[in-house]
Amino acid sequence: MNMRTKWPVLSIATALAGTLLAGCGSQGGESGGTGSSIAIGMTDDVLATDPASGYDPGSWLLFNNVFQSLLSFPKGSTEPEPEAAKSCSFTDGDTRVYECTLRDGLKFSNGDELTSADVKFSFDRMMKINDAEGPAIMFPMLDKVETPDEKTVVFQLKVPDATFPSKIASGAGSIVNHREYDADGLREDGKAVGSGPYKLDSFSEDEAVFSVNENYEGNADVRNSGVTLKFFHGDRKGLRKALTDTKVDVAYRGLAAQDVADIENDTSTGQGIDVIEGSSAEVQHLVFNTQDPVAGKLSVRKAIAHLLDREALVEEVYESTATPLYSIIPAGITGHNTAFFDTYGARPSRTKAEDVLRADGITEKVKLTLWSTPTRYGPATDQEFKAIAKQLNDSGLFDASVKSVAYDQYEKDIEAGKYGVYVKGWVPDYPDPDNFTAPFFGDGNVLGNGYTNSKITGQLIPETAALSERASTEQQYGQLQDIVAEEVPVLPIWQAKQYAVVRDNVYGLEYCLDASTVFRFWEISKD
């Protein structure tokens, strides 16, 4: 199953603001959808308006604002709370049966009543369509959905899964109107009918227009009268100009660190621009094809781990707007440790890299190609990989070069096993360590690197999935991360923060940038 559209265009965080700047605090506009409309620009595209298909950051941004899920992540929280539901809980002792009761008065934006039948239809439809670019892959544990009455939904799981509430709180849990969607096929007319805070009025190649859904019943307190989302298709300069020319109020996802610095230092515009910084669990890795004749050698992978200078990369390439990452579970997520730091140290060591290669009988320079793709994982990816190649070559132990390939071809080549070392980035579906581990290991993993480990897939992941108290999973996740550091199927590089650049009369962005990855239109207001 192809999850790879979830690997995003990088939203490098900026530390340039330091703290929230004046004019970007908690001051809000009028609630209830009576404030000004907001124009938001981003370089990402929205690849789908149908929740059974979309599995990319742009599409989930749309889903999180147009559709309701039974649960949602409140601002600043990684614990899901009821949204379309008024209550949800596991009703058995081993997290196999999950029951939700819907809140009263739920309606779709077209006025149709929302009942348990729509919830069942949404999950059954997603699983039946099983789109290669969709989120069905997140629910291998789902056995069936039952509806004892119009207000009750019961999920029967094949195996215990304590992360199930977080999964259905994500964009993958979007509830669609069974009267408006085909049970057997995707909707392809660019329209969407949901019960979230907004309704989609129009969708085209260059913009999506949203207005407030007057039928919405939920937790969101809408602070604007609508949103226009403008797509810049990777055009950073165009997005930057639109912001400085006041054509958009917010620039989200796509500006590089240097763009942000230039905007902050530009005093030629008549109105101020502020930078809002938030937390993020977005990460980037070097991925090793363990079936490759070169990268498949553990000694080569360990040598690269000994030589990688993360601090230099984030300082020189990303202007200190990302932080070095030393494990596959990022900081701020339960279970995070520093396995790669503990195993390979904070600073590069040519001596240790040489020792591990010589112990494997490798005496010549290791010839290696690092494969990149120019924009999918951020505008600086190619530059970053050239810097990594230089680090390897400066050791005298490698003869590394970089090749950059357009994203469509890049994905096909990875699937065909043509690359030995390549880049991947990851935006989590939900803020739980499971989402940084379960998708990455075992047969058919999203990395496409051929790596398997029976202890990880047969013991550690099933054990952690069954533990409803997520803090109690730290020991198992620690073991898992230590195994990955020892076997190096991936090499973590950095962890990003989120940022948005806004006009100084725009408020509420700090409530849109947290580890849940939910960008909440309804929190944004404008004078």
Side-chain angles (χ1 to χ4, degrees):
M1 184 65 62
N2 184 358
M3 287 177 70
R4 299 185 179 103
T5 54
K6 191 61 180 178
W7 296 82
V9 175
L10 170 67
S11 56
I12 289 289
T14 178
L16 298 173
T19 57
L20 296 181
L21 301 178
C24 299
S26 60
Q27 178 181 348
E30 298 176 54
S31 63
T34 58
S36 300
S37 61
I38 308 293
I40 301 172
M42 67 179 188
T43 57
D44 281 6
D45 291 324
V46 172
L47 302 182
T49 60
D50 188 330
S53 177
Y55 198 37
D56 60 281
S59 297
W60 278 33
L61 184 151
L62 184 150
F63 301 159
N64 286 326
N65 288 283
V66 171
F67 297 94
Q68 273 184 303
S69 298
L70 291 167
L71 306 170
S72 65
F73 293 104
K75 56 190 178 187
S77 175
T78 58
E79 293 294 325
E81 295 182 358
E83 169 60 20
K86 67 179 180 181
S87 64
C88 289
S89 64
F90 284 104
T91 59
D92 63 337
D94 65 354
T95 62
R96 288 177 185 257
V97 182
Y98 194 68
E99 182 173 319
C100 293
T101 302
L102 297 179
R103 67 164 74 218
D104 296 330
L106 292 174
K107 292 182 180 181
F108 290 101
S109 58
N110 65 356
D112 290 344
E113 184 180 9
L114 189 161
T115 71
S116 61
D118 295 291
V119 180
K120 174 177 171 57
F121 174 83
S122 300
F123 281 90
D124 289 350
R125 174 179 183 266
M126 173 182 61
M127 299 302 290
K128 182 177 182 179
I129 293 174
N130 196 20
D131 185 64
E133 303 295 335
I137 193 172
M138 290 175 59
F139 297 98
M141 82 302 293
L142 183 57
D143 184 17
K144 59 183 176 180
V145 185
E146 300 171 332
T147 54
D149 56 56
E150 288 192 346
K151 289 292 182 66
T152 307
V153 183
V154 180
F155 298 92
Q156 300 284 352
L157 308 184
K158 299 173 186 176
V159 294
D161 186 359
T163 69
F164 188 75
S166 291
K167 291 171 181 173
I168 65 173
S170 73
S174 298
I175 302 168
V176 303
N177 187 336
H178 77 273
R179 305 166 189 83
E180 294 281 340
Y181 288 80
D182 184 348
D184 301 310
L186 295 173
R187 185 165 189 163
E188 298 179 352
D189 60 0
K191 296 181 180 180
V193 180
S195 58
Y198 293 84
K199 55 185 178 181
L200 180 64
D201 294 332
S202 65
F203 180 81
S204 65
E205 182 179 355
D206 294 326
E207 70 176 25
V209 179
F210 305 83
S211 60
V212 177
N213 176 16
E214 296 178 356
N215 291 320
Y216 170 70
E217 291 288 340
N219 299 324
D221 182 12
V222 181
R223 298 179 178 274
N224 54 65
S225 59
V227 171
T228 298
L229 187 60
K230 296 181 179 292
F231 310 126
F232 287 81
H233 312 296
D235 180 6
R236 289 162 39 215
K237 291 182 180 179
L239 175 57
R240 173 179 163 180
K241 188 174 189 301
L243 182 70
T244 56
D245 290 351
T246 69
K247 298 294 178 60
V248 298
D249 302 303
V250 179
Y252 174 63
R253 298 187 64 82
L255 291 180
Q258 188 58 53
D259 295 320
V260 177
D262 290 346
I263 289 171
E264 283 201 306
N265 294 328
D266 184 1
T267 59
S268 63
T269 57
Q271 193 174 14
I273 295 176
D274 295 333
V275 177
I276 308 300
E277 182 183 316
S279 60
S280 173
E282 187 172 335
V283 298
Q284 192 186 87
H285 301 317
L286 271 179
V287 181
F288 298 103
N289 179 355
T290 58
Q291 309 302 312
D292 183 79
V294 179
K297 295 180 179 180
L298 179 57
S299 60
V300 171
R301 304 198 298 271
K302 286 190 171 184
I304 295 172
H306 279 301
L307 294 172
L308 181 67
D309 190 341
R310 297 170 178 82
E311 294 281 356
L313 287 176
V314 300
E315 180 179 347
E316 297 168 9
V317 178
Y318 294 110
E319 302 186 30
S320 299
T321 61
T323 57
L325 180 63
Y326 292 97
S327 194
I328 54 171
I329 298 175
I333 300 296
T334 298
H336 164 75
N337 72 7
T338 54
F340 278 83
F341 181 98
D342 301 338
T343 305
Y344 302 99
R347 306 300 300 173
S349 173
R350 183 196 182 281
T351 300
K352 291 179 180 179
E354 183 176 24
D355 288 347
V356 76
L357 290 173
R358 300 299 182 254
D360 196 28
I362 299 174
T363 58
E364 302 293 329
K365 287 185 179 181
V366 178
K367 189 172 179 61
L368 198 67
T369 301
L370 307 181
W371 292 91
S372 179
T373 188
T375 60
R376 179 63 176 176
Y377 308 126
T381 306
D382 286 353
Q383 180 187 352
E384 173 192 356
F385 264 52
K386 289 174 183 177
I388 293 173
K390 185 176 186 301
Q391 290 179 3
L392 298 179
N393 292 339
D394 285 349
S395 73
L397 302 173
F398 283 83
D399 178 10
S401 60
V402 177
K403 291 187 178 179
S404 183
V405 179
Y407 182 67
D408 288 348
Q409 187 62 44
Y410 182 79
E411 284 295 287
K412 293 175 184 176
D413 289 346
I414 289 173
E415 189 171 356
K418 292 183 178 181
Y419 302 158
V421 187
Y422 47 96
V423 62
K424 285 286 190 178
W426 182 254
V427 171
D429 307 306
Y430 48 95
D432 187 277
D434 176 81
N435 199 230
F436 296 91
T437 53
F440 293 172
F441 306 106
D443 293 336
N445 69 67
V446 302
L447 300 175
N449 66 344
Y451 174 72
T452 59
N453 181 285
S454 59
K455 183 170 184 179
I456 290 176
T457 55
Q459 178 186 340
L460 296 175
I461 288 177
E463 283 182 2
T464 55
L467 296 172
S468 57
E469 178 50 61
R470 300 309 287 161
S472 67
T473 62
E474 290 191 0
Q475 180 180 356
Q476 290 95 328
Y477 280 120
Q479 291 181 49
L480 192 158
Q481 290 167 95
D482 291 344
I483 291 171
V484 173
E486 180 61 31
E487 300 189 349
V488 204
V490 301
L491 184 58
I493 306 175
W494 50 251
Q495 176 176 351
K497 299 175 186 176
Q498 294 188 84
Y499 75 88
V501 185
V502 304
R503 307 299 308 181
D504 65 1
N505 63 335
V506 177
Y507 310 99
L509 267 297
E510 65 270 32
Y511 302 129
C512 303
L513 307 173
D514 58 37
S516 72
T517 73
V518 177
F519 192 82
R520 303 170 179 86
F521 283 172
W522 58 89
E523 295 287 355
I524 308 172
S525 63
K526 184 174 72 170
D527 285 347

